Structures are given as C-alpha cells and as structure tokens.
Amino acid sequence: MPQLRLALNQIDSTVGDLAGNAESVVHWTRHSAEQGAHLVAFPEMVLTGYPVEDLALRSSFVEASRAALRALAARLADEGLGELPVIVGYLDRSSTAQPKYGQPAGAPQNAAAVLHRGEVRLTFAKHHLPNYGVFDEFRYFVPGDTLPVVRVHGVDVALAICEDLWQDGGRVPATRSAGAGLLISINASPYEQNKDDSRLELVRKRAQEAGCTTAYVAMIGGQDELVFDGDSIVVDADGDVVARAPQFSEGCVVVDLDLPAAGPVPGGVVDDGLRIDHVVCSEDPLAPYEAELSGGYAERLDDDEEVYSALVVGLRAYAAKNGFRSVLIGLSGGIDSALVAAIACDALGAQNVYGVAMPSKYSSEHSKGDAADLARRTGLNFRTVPIEPMFDAYMESLGLTGLAEENLQSRLRGTMLMALSNQEGHIVLAPGNKSELAVGYSTLYGDSVGAYGPIKDVYKTSVFRLAKWRNRAAGEGGRTPPIPENSITKPPSAELRPDQVDTDSLPDYDVLDRVLAMYVDADQGLEAIVAAGFDPDVVTRVLGMVDTAEYKRRQYPPGTKISAKGFGKDRRLPITSRWRESRPAAGA
C-alpha cells in the first residue's frame, strides 16, 4: 500500500488579519516540511479567521482573501515549500449565479484550496451550510457542488469542510463512491461542554461510511464569544483512532499512514449530485520508507479542567486579539469575582490583573478580608476604595430607599471601575454568571459594566464546582490555591442591605439551575418542567423572571460560550413580548 505522511496543523487565526494568518500558515508549513510531511492541512477559513460574519458581505474583503491566497501560494514556492501540497481554508466567491438560493454570481463562499508549486491547484466550497446555534452560514454563503479529490503520491484524497461531516449525505458517501483512500475535513468547530465525545463518535462514524481513513483538523483559540478547542483526530476505515491531538493547545500532528492506491481517475456525478473535481499533484507512490510517526494520543482533560481551560483561552484570546494587556475586576470577596480573578490571572498573568475592593457600609468584614486574601494568594494588584462617601452624597441629594438605594451602590461601583478603566487603560471584566443573567439578578449599569464577561455562560452551581477544582488543581501541583475557602463556603450575597443573602430573592441555586437548564438550554415549557418534579410556584416565578430580563441580557458584554445555548446568538428572543409560559393559552 502507498504511504503518506500527513501533517494536521491545529492553529489559531485572527479574523481580518490576512497577513498575520498567512505568516502562520507559512511557519507551520515549514515546520511540517521539517517533519517530512507529504501533505499538509490547516483549519477552516484559517486565512481570514472564523467566523467573519458580515465581513463576508463586503466584496473588498472577499477580494482581499482571494488575493492573499494567491500570494500565499507564490510565497510557499519562493521559500522552497512549493512541492508540498497545502490545504488552506479561506473566503471565496461563486463564479456563477446560484438561482436556487436567490444569489447572483459573486456570492460569498466558505471555501478551501490546495496550494502546490506556487499555484492554486484546486478550490471548493463547503457543501453543507449550518444554520443553527451560533451559525448563520445561509445568511452569508452559497454551497459548493463538487467533491474535490486531489491525488498525492498515488493516493486519492477527498476533501470536506466541517459541516460536511456533521450532516448526513453529501461528501462523505461521495468519498466512498469516488474510491478515495483518505478523507480530510478542515474545521472551525466551536467548543461546547462534552462536544469532544460526540466529535470522536462522529469522525468514527463518517470514516466507516466513507470507507477510508478520515482526518479531522480543528482550529484552536478564541474569537469574541467562541472558543476553539483543537482536538484534531485521525481514525482508520474501521473507526479506530490512529492519532488525537491535545485540547486547547496549538500544534502539529504528524502521522504516517498506509493507504489504498488510487485507481483510474474518478469522474462524473456522485452522491447528492456532487461532481467530482479531480487534480493530480503527484501520480507515483513514494518509495517505501520506515514509518516513524504515529501522531500520538493526547489524554483527555476531565470535565471541570476542560471548562476552566475554555474560559482561560476565551479571555486570553479576547484580550490579545483586541490589543488589551490588562484587566480590572471589582473584588467583593464573593465566589463570582474570585473565580473571574483566578481565570484572569491564569489567562494574562497576575501582574496584568488589577483588583479593586469597593466596600459600602453593608460590606461584611469577612468579605473585605476575603478580597484581600484573594489578592495575596494570586499576587494580583490590589487596592481598596470605599464607596460610602459617594453613596452618602447621592443619598443626601436624592433620598433613595429600597431597591433604588441598593442598586445605587452597584452603579457607583460600576462608575468607579469604568473611570479607572479610562484613566489607567485596563478593560473591566463583568463577574456575572449565567444564573444571575437568566433571572435578571444583576444591576444594569452596575455589576453588568465591562468589556467581557468570562463566566456569563457558567451557572452558579458550576461556578462553585470550578472554584473547587481550581483550588484542588493548585494544591495537587504544590501551589497556593487562589480562591479563599471562605469565598466558596459562605452563603452568596450581594451585600446591598443588612444580612442580605441571594436566597432572599431566588430559589436555592441547585433548584434554580436545574429549572434554568430545562427552560433556557432545552427550551422546555412550564408544564414539562413541573412534570419533571419541580414546584409549580417556583417554576412560574423563575420563568417570569427569565422572560422579563431579556432587555438586561441584551446589554451585557460578550463572554466565553461553553454551553450548547449561551445568551447571545444561540438564544434570540424578543425583548417586547406578551407571551408568558405561566399564562394559559386562549381557549385552554
């Protein structure tokens, strides 16, 4: 059987940085060549970054992407890498009208190309376009209608892009029909909890359906609210894992493969009406060589470490790609700000994290002490600025009471943080969690201020679990646990009035989060949630709080997405709506 050394580069790219992304492709192609690779693959839209969103609608950006691709092909050849076929994702446009989709010639396409000997030898567009969750690809792109096959050293290699594997039909069965010996899918599939398990099963299933070894190369890094976790995979035709890359780590997987020899050049139309587009880079098989590179198998992270790693990568990417070097956090001594501070220190280094305690007359002594203890444990920069003088001045002028008095404290803290941000150049991190955002248990223009919300997609019960994991991991590594134990064990409180605790206003978080998981994440209605065993009055109250807090969530900053349905593009509900789950339908 012919041999082939395949290099899968799971790398990060930045949206719009065509020059920087091309530089990364050259760097990792050179690295792949030094490892003796015969074929190199990069992630989906690596040249433009992903997702480009409405940039895809700008013809200037599309043309810049096409020009960058041609320049990249020429540069690879100029630097002595031209003999190595390279698969690169980029943004292209359709050369013909697409009346089926109501699009004229020139409509954008999520595309990829094979670069070889200084030329763009083959181009193709994603066939299956996702249109769910965070994906709006039908808004931007028209699909491709070919099965691209490139012959490399006597092996026919079929190519696909991300969703082409996630949906049934199309390029996977077409690969079998074409008799390809290898299927490579390039991907920019965002991270979600437990997705690594479903991803592996998907690749195994598709390899068996395609009847050949299948390689899945994935993106790493972050883009706004999305995190990409890598986890590139190679499986054989039986679905057995040949190689698996680490999670949340940039790098190159190089693996030696024994593959079936190519037969006659395939042609014609195969499954789903796909026309085979075949090019030959090298016809003759390689002389037999000793296979040395197995690709390896990186151990999986446990569930809590995986989520925590995603939160760190998401914040680090957001700060770095937007040119921010330091962050500012209001430290209350509570669990949320403590976890955010730990994430920030791990993402950016404690020297770039600035914490401010802003006690009021209702702040407990232990909360003040817990904030200071956190600073000592992590080594972050810390100061204390009491808000009581400002609070007294407002109260003397306005005479506020009740909720208005409580929220004033939060808004004074928000104003102070934004003032320090403007003065010193740090970006403010909002500490709100998913439970609070769901029910509106936050103060607009108070604790919701900031440029990024690292735990906005983390339920409160998970906040506690992640804090415990982080401390345990530190202890096992012989380091100081960053989060004070008292911040974990004391009852959560906003401390905006005497002896206040969260359960004065909310159900117990264990109950609340399970109700929210059904309503927010699973779109279950009141009857289904009550049927699951929850108290009808509690459910009615929680659902009402969620429905009326939509206007607050729309104004919350972006933050790392870790669930299948975060607040943002995943969940799009009207602010103005009279529908309530607790209200019976007309005629019922």
Side-chain angles (χ1 to χ4, degrees):
M1 297 178 76
Q3 293 174 283
L4 197 68
R5 182 168 290 179
L6 175 65
L8 305 178
N9 290 285
Q10 61 173 41
I11 67 171
D12 192 5
S13 62
T14 301
V15 167
D17 187 8
L18 298 172
N21 296 337
E23 189 67 38
S24 292
V25 171
V26 173
H27 169 81
W28 286 102
T29 300
R30 185 179 299 110
H31 173 81
S32 301
E34 290 168 352
Q35 302 300 307
H38 306 125
L39 177 63
V40 179
F42 288 90
E44 176 181 8
M45 294 190 81
V46 69
L47 193 55
T48 57
Y50 182 88
V52 297
E53 299 185 306
D54 278 16
L55 284 174
L57 303 178
R58 295 188 189 177
S59 59
S60 59
F61 186 62
V62 177
E63 290 308 313
S65 169
R66 288 161 55 87
L69 182 76
R70 295 189 296 269
L72 175 60
R75 182 178 171 191
L76 288 171
D78 290 344
E79 299 201 12
L81 301 168
E83 291 300 319
L84 184 57
V86 178
I87 305 163
V88 177
Y90 73 110
L91 175 64
D92 201 355
R93 57 175 171 78
S94 173
S95 59
T96 59
Q98 300 277 342
K100 181 178 179 181
Y101 305 101
Q103 295 291 337
Q109 291 186 307
N110 178 339
V114 177
L115 310 181
H116 188 229
R117 295 177 178 169
E119 298 180 354
V120 179
R121 293 295 310 280
L122 174 70
T123 65
F124 64 100
K126 183 188 271 189
H127 178 60
H128 287 311
L129 299 178
N131 206 47
Y132 53 85
V134 299
F135 304 107
D136 291 309
E137 296 211 2
F138 266 112
R139 171 183 171 89
Y140 304 115
F141 306 127
V142 292
D145 59 2
T146 66
L147 174 68
V149 181
V150 57
R151 185 164 295 183
V152 180
H153 295 301
V155 176
D156 274 345
V157 182
L159 304 174
I161 302 176
C162 201
E163 194 73 9
D164 293 340
L165 257 63
W166 288 92
Q167 291 189 32
D168 291 335
R171 284 179 172 145
V172 172
T175 296
R176 178 184 285 273
S177 298
L182 174 65
L183 171 61
I184 298 177
S185 177
I186 65 171
N187 309 273
S189 182
Y191 168 77
E192 292 171 9
Q193 291 170 276
N194 304 317
K195 193 173 185 178
D196 60 326
D197 296 329
S198 59
R199 179 187 293 134
L200 176 59
E201 291 309 307
L202 172 79
V203 178
R204 282 175 164 163
K205 178 183 178 182
R206 297 311 190 207
Q208 293 168 340
E209 291 172 353
C212 66
T213 297
T214 298
Y216 179 105
V217 58
M219 188 172 282
I220 181 67
Q223 169 62 27
D224 292 345
E225 295 194 308
L226 301 182
V227 172
F228 303 98
D229 59 323
D231 191 28
S232 297
I233 303 168
V234 181
V235 303
D236 65 20
D238 295 323
D240 295 326
V241 177
V242 175
R244 195 167 188 186
Q247 298 165 281
F248 305 105
S249 178
E250 191 170 54
C252 177
V253 174
V254 183
V255 57
D256 283 314
L257 301 171
D258 293 323
L259 299 168
V265 172
V269 175
V270 287
D271 303 74
D272 273 12
L274 295 174
R275 173 181 53 83
I276 295 177
D277 189 4
H278 188 281
V279 299
V280 176
C281 287
S282 47
E283 184 71 63
D284 297 329
L286 294 160
Y289 65 90
E290 184 176 353
E292 299 175 341
L293 300 176
S294 64
Y297 187 94
E299 291 301 316
R300 302 297 89 193
L301 305 178
D302 69 36
D303 290 346
D304 291 334
E305 183 177 8
E306 180 184 285
V307 171
Y308 190 89
S309 298
L311 298 174
V312 169
V313 169
L315 175 57
R316 180 185 294 140
Y318 186 83
K321 292 182 178 182
N322 287 286
F324 303 123
R325 294 188 298 273
S326 56
V327 296
L328 180 66
I329 309 169
L331 297 180
S332 66
I335 186 65
D336 294 326
S337 62
L339 180 61
V340 168
I343 292 168
C345 288
D346 290 336
L348 305 174
Q351 70 277 12
N352 296 312
V353 179
Y354 293 77
V356 185
M358 298 167 285
S360 74
K361 63 181 179 181
Y362 300 123
S363 299
S364 63
E365 289 302 318
H366 62 73
S367 290
K368 299 175 189 177
D370 293 340
D373 188 21
L374 171 75
R376 286 192 296 269
R377 288 168 173 270
T378 59
L380 60 78
N381 304 281
F382 181 68
R383 75 190 98 173
T384 299
V385 184
I387 65 166
E388 195 162 350
M390 293 171 273
F391 178 74
D392 290 342
Y394 269 86
M395 291 299 291
E396 184 177 344
S397 298
L398 299 175
L400 302 176
T401 60
L403 186 61
E405 179 184 0
E406 293 181 28
N407 286 345
L408 174 61
Q409 297 167 69
S410 180
R411 291 190 174 113
L412 287 171
R413 290 175 174 131
T415 298
M416 185 184 299
L417 289 171
M418 291 310 300
L420 291 172
S421 173
N422 292 158
Q423 182 69 25
E424 300 176 3
H426 322 298
I427 61 167
V428 177
L429 300 183
N433 60 67
K434 191 172 186 177
S435 306
E436 295 173 347
L437 297 183
V439 297
Y441 193 61
S442 62
T443 303
L444 204 57
Y445 319 123
D447 51 342
S448 66
V449 304
Y452 201 73
I455 61 171
K456 71 173 289 188
D457 198 27
V458 182
Y459 283 121
K460 187 78 169 189
T461 48
S462 295
V463 169
F464 283 105
R465 193 177 66 249
L466 291 174
K468 293 174 183 176
W469 174 85
R470 183 63 185 85
N471 276 3
R472 185 170 64 253
E476 291 171 353
R479 299 180 299 275
T480 301
I483 299 173
E485 187 64 23
N486 196 44
S487 294
I488 298 174
T489 58
K490 67 185 177 186
S493 171
E495 293 192 333
L496 299 176
R497 63 175 182 265
D499 302 318
Q500 182 184 27
V501 291
D502 289 3
T503 50
D504 294 340
S505 305
L506 303 174
D508 180 81
Y509 279 114
D510 180 62
V511 173
L512 176 63
D513 287 355
R514 286 186 288 135
V515 171
L516 293 175
M518 293 187 71
Y519 189 51
V520 173
D521 298 349
D523 285 314
Q524 297 292 302
L526 183 143
E527 290 185 3
I529 299 173
V530 171
F534 294 97
D535 180 86
D537 292 337
V538 171
V539 175
T540 299
R541 177 167 153 244
V542 170
L543 270 53
M545 295 171 76
V546 173
D547 290 345
T548 56
E550 185 63 33
Y551 76 101
K552 285 188 177 182
R553 290 190 289 272
R554 291 283 187 94
Q555 299 179 69
Y556 203 81
T560 306
K561 168 182 153 62
I562 62 163
S563 73
K565 183 165 285 192
F567 289 126
K569 291 183 180 179
D570 287 322
R571 187 176 187 272
R572 311 178 196 187
L573 292 172
I575 294 174
T576 304
S577 171
R578 292 187 179 178
W579 170 256
R580 294 292 181 268
E581 283 290 328
S582 56
R583 189 177 301 148

